[in-house]
Amino acid sequence: MTTLYTPDHEWLKIEGDVATIGITDYAQEQLGDVVFVELPKVGRAVKKAEAAAVVESVKAASDVYAPITGEVLEINETLGTEPGLVNSDAGGAAWFFKLKIADKAELEGLMDEAAYKAHTA
Amino acid sequence: MLAGDDTQSLKRTPLYALHLSRGGKMVPFAGYDMPVQYTPGVLKEHLHTRSAAGLFDVSHMGQVELRAKSGKLEDAARALEALIPQDIVALPPGRQRYAQFTNESGGILDDLMVTNLGNRLFLVVNAACKAEDEAHLRAHLSDTCDITALTDRALIALQGPKAEAALAKFCADVTTMKFMDVAELTLEGLPCIVSRSGYTGEDGFEISVPADGAEKLATALLDNPDVLPIGLGARDSLRLEAGLCLYGHDIDTTTTPVEAALSWSIQKSRRSGGARPGGFPGASAILSQLDGGTTRLRVGLRPEGRAPVRENASLFTSADSAEPIGAVTSGGFGPSLNAPVAMGYLPAALAVRDTVVFAEVRGQRLPLRVAAMPFVPNTYKR
């Protein structure tokens, strides 16, 4: 399994042709206390860079952009009742959605962990 | 880079160094570099204020003194009544009152607190309006009053159920004060103006203190483990749950005090048939709305789902109606309610508790119920 990152602070865990997507610990720290998460509908076809989810803190709403093109296979329903999970376990239990990867070539532009660490340093 | 991002041009309050040392996350606000939150974050800061006590730096706000040239306080009170629809002549010494500067059409130029300090009036106005307010006072009251902007004073709010005990350690007199009482007291050797009021819905105090003693007083208050520093983020969520207006959002020059559901703040003496009816800018519009009603009103709104409905969201009568009937002016998440809360303007006919309206959020229509304010009961010491 490979983990990749976007400059917009999303992570993707790649298993075969499925990408599990969430936001990074750095992103949740910037957002502050998360109080609501809106996820895409299962089956929706999302294009790279399209707003696919919304994460709201006490202060503001922020879009989460689809890092790659694909079809939504599954969403993390737990975030509907426990949005605070994004603060406590951004890189794990608080995954947002899973995409069926449409074009693996889109993964080539993403960062590995070392590059992402440098990006947020 | 945008002008607003240029932190070099931002002003600092006397508590700036304290904010940095306490881990304040600084943001530009009304021309000042202010803490939006500290390490615990907005949610915990909000809840701490409701369960213990929070200390807020509100030194960016304007503090102004009015003294009648005649030496008679009543002359300053009468002069100020020419700019606001409140009764200041009957405001007793040691008491404070909520007021609004109005314009010729009845709109609100700013909202403020007015205190009778016995020999002078003491005003606290919004940071973003303070230059205009001072100019407005000078333009209209210079003949009768000496007007002094107290730029050498800081303002600290101490709010929450443990605020009284925390402040009583410095001056036991505060325990006898009631909501909207004001007293000139010595705290830590500093001459302070202490009011029992605030902007959170909680019991608490606002303390005007000489700028060069502000850090000493704030540090002494923060030595109490019940007292934590609270940023502007929680200040906003606390006042929203308390149903209190934020100038520039819920009220502005296009809203009258009556439309803003602030009629309670206009005393009988200034209304039709009162002892001194009218005589303030926009009186004809405001008095006719007080007598005959208004077409729209500010209301509390409780979204039925979990999604916050924020400022500027359009409001509709149904899930598919085309024309908006109003808009949300403040909205967010209420940590004490663990639910979203909002306020906004609706046609008066719909400003009835439990009426369901719809807000457009990201292309969807979300239901909200008209609700009484405050959303969280206030705990003022009456």
Side-chain angles (χ1 to χ4, degrees):
Chain A
M1 189 174 70
T2 320
T3 303
L4 299 170
Y5 298 86
T6 73
D8 297 328
H9 311 290
E10 292 137 333
W11 53 258
L12 301 82
K13 285 180 183 150
I14 312 296
E15 289 168 279
D17 60 355
V18 175
T20 304
I21 291 156
I23 68 169
T24 64
D25 202 50
Y26 177 89
Q28 71 79 17
E29 261 183 43
Q30 298 297 310
L31 287 167
D33 306 297
V34 172
V35 297
F36 178 77
V37 178
E38 185 175 288
L39 295 170
K41 287 201 165 62
V42 172
R44 178 176 149 191
V46 297
K47 282 206 182 75
K48 183 181 171 174
E50 183 176 294
V54 177
V55 56
E56 301 220 19
S57 69
V58 181
K59 286 173 289 187
S62 309
D63 285 318
V64 176
Y65 301 99
I68 54 171
T69 303
E71 182 193 330
V72 179
L73 296 174
E74 196 181 337
I75 58 174
N76 188 355
E77 306 272 10
T78 313
L79 297 182
T81 49
E82 286 179 65
L85 209 54
V86 178
N87 296 114
S88 58
D89 195 6
W95 61 275
F96 277 40
F97 53 89
K98 297 186 182 190
L99 282 185
K100 185 171 197 298
I101 302 167
D103 177 8
K104 284 215 165 183
E106 284 182 354
L107 300 177
E108 283 164 22
L110 300 174
M111 288 179 272
D112 62 12
E113 190 173 352
Y116 180 69
K117 273 193 176 152
H119 175 68
T120 53
Chain B
M1 188 186 271
L2 296 171
D5 292 339
D6 182 4
T7 52
Q8 296 302 309
S9 65
L10 293 173
K11 287 178 273 191
R12 294 173 176 180
T13 74
L15 297 182
Y16 181 79
L18 182 69
H19 299 316
L20 295 189
S21 74
R22 290 280 176 153
K25 184 175 167 188
M26 307 305 282
V27 299
F29 182 83
Y32 285 80
D33 205 7
M34 297 296 286
V36 66
Q37 63 174 74
Y38 298 85
T39 315
V42 178
L43 208 62
K44 287 194 181 78
E45 291 172 28
H46 176 116
L47 296 172
H48 184 85
T49 305
R50 293 243 188 271
S51 66
L55 184 142
F56 304 73
D57 179 13
V58 286
S59 305
H60 56 312
M61 297 185 80
Q63 303 179 56
V64 184
E65 270 183 7
L66 296 184
R67 289 174 193 264
K69 290 188 167 160
S70 68
K72 288 165 62 187
L73 183 94
E74 188 181 330
D75 291 338
R78 282 188 189 278
L80 183 59
E81 284 193 0
L83 299 181
I84 65 176
Q86 279 72 33
D87 184 339
I88 303 303
V89 170
L91 180 66
R95 291 288 294 166
Q96 185 173 56
R97 185 159 271 177
Y98 175 68
Q100 307 90 32
F101 288 122
T102 50
N103 67 17
E104 288 302 327
S105 55
I108 301 173
L109 294 169
D110 195 11
D111 63 342
L112 69 155
M113 300 300 289
V114 181
T115 297
N116 178 347
L117 284 176
N119 62 346
R120 64 202 191 279
L121 296 176
F122 172 61
L123 278 49
V124 177
V125 303
N126 280 301
C129 303
K130 64 183 177 184
E132 291 90 337
D133 290 345
E134 194 188 328
H136 186 58
L137 288 165
R138 289 193 190 286
H140 293 93
L141 306 188
S142 286
D143 289 348
T144 48
C145 296
D146 290 319
I147 299 150
T148 313
L150 305 180
T151 52
D152 57 348
R153 293 184 83 87
L155 194 63
I156 297 168
L158 184 67
Q159 302 277 296
K162 295 188 175 172
E164 183 190 81
L167 195 57
K169 288 185 176 161
F170 300 90
C171 181
D173 295 358
V174 300
T175 58
T176 60
M177 293 174 70
K178 292 199 170 0
F179 182 58
M180 301 292 247
D181 278 352
V182 185
E184 294 187 74
L185 301 171
T186 301
L187 304 174
E188 287 286 90
L190 301 160
C192 296
I193 304 169
V194 179
S195 70
R196 193 151 199 169
S197 56
Y199 193 49
T200 60
E202 296 296 320
D203 179 28
F205 302 87
E206 288 194 352
I207 305 159
S208 169
V209 54
D212 57 9
E215 185 169 343
K216 177 183 162 193
L217 178 62
T219 303
L221 288 166
L222 288 167
D223 276 343
N224 183 333
D226 287 334
V227 182
L228 286 182
I230 309 295
L232 292 176
R235 181 168 158 84
D236 191 52
S237 57
L238 288 158
R239 71 91 196 167
L240 178 57
E241 282 185 344
L244 298 169
C245 291
L246 176 60
Y247 190 80
H249 300 261
D250 308 302
I251 50 176
D252 59 26
T253 53
T254 70
T255 61
T256 71
V258 184
E259 292 169 333
L262 299 172
S263 300
W264 59 267
S265 71
I266 304 176
Q267 287 74 31
K268 281 205 175 91
S269 58
R270 306 300 309 278
R271 300 187 183 203
S272 306
R276 294 183 307 288
F280 52 87
S284 64
I286 290 171
L287 294 186
S288 82
Q289 287 183 348
L290 282 169
D291 294 335
T294 172
T295 55
R296 62 174 190 154
L297 278 171
R298 182 178 64 96
V299 295
L301 297 163
R302 293 285 304 263
E304 299 206 321
R306 296 284 302 169
V309 178
R310 298 187 188 270
E311 183 176 2
N312 295 328
S314 294
L315 295 169
F316 298 85
T317 49
S318 70
D320 52 14
S321 53
E323 285 301 313
I325 50 163
V328 169
T329 52
S330 283
F333 185 78
S336 299
L337 294 163
N338 191 28
V341 281
M343 58 174 88
Y345 284 83
L346 282 179
L350 294 174
V352 177
R353 204 180 299 182
D354 288 331
T355 302
V356 174
V357 295
F358 292 79
E360 194 151 286
V361 178
R362 297 182 286 271
Q364 296 173 61
R365 294 280 172 96
L366 306 180
L368 304 91
R369 195 173 286 272
V370 176
M373 293 189 286
F375 300 109
V376 172
N378 56 48
T379 57
Y380 304 141
K381 189 181 168 188
R382 301 274 185 190

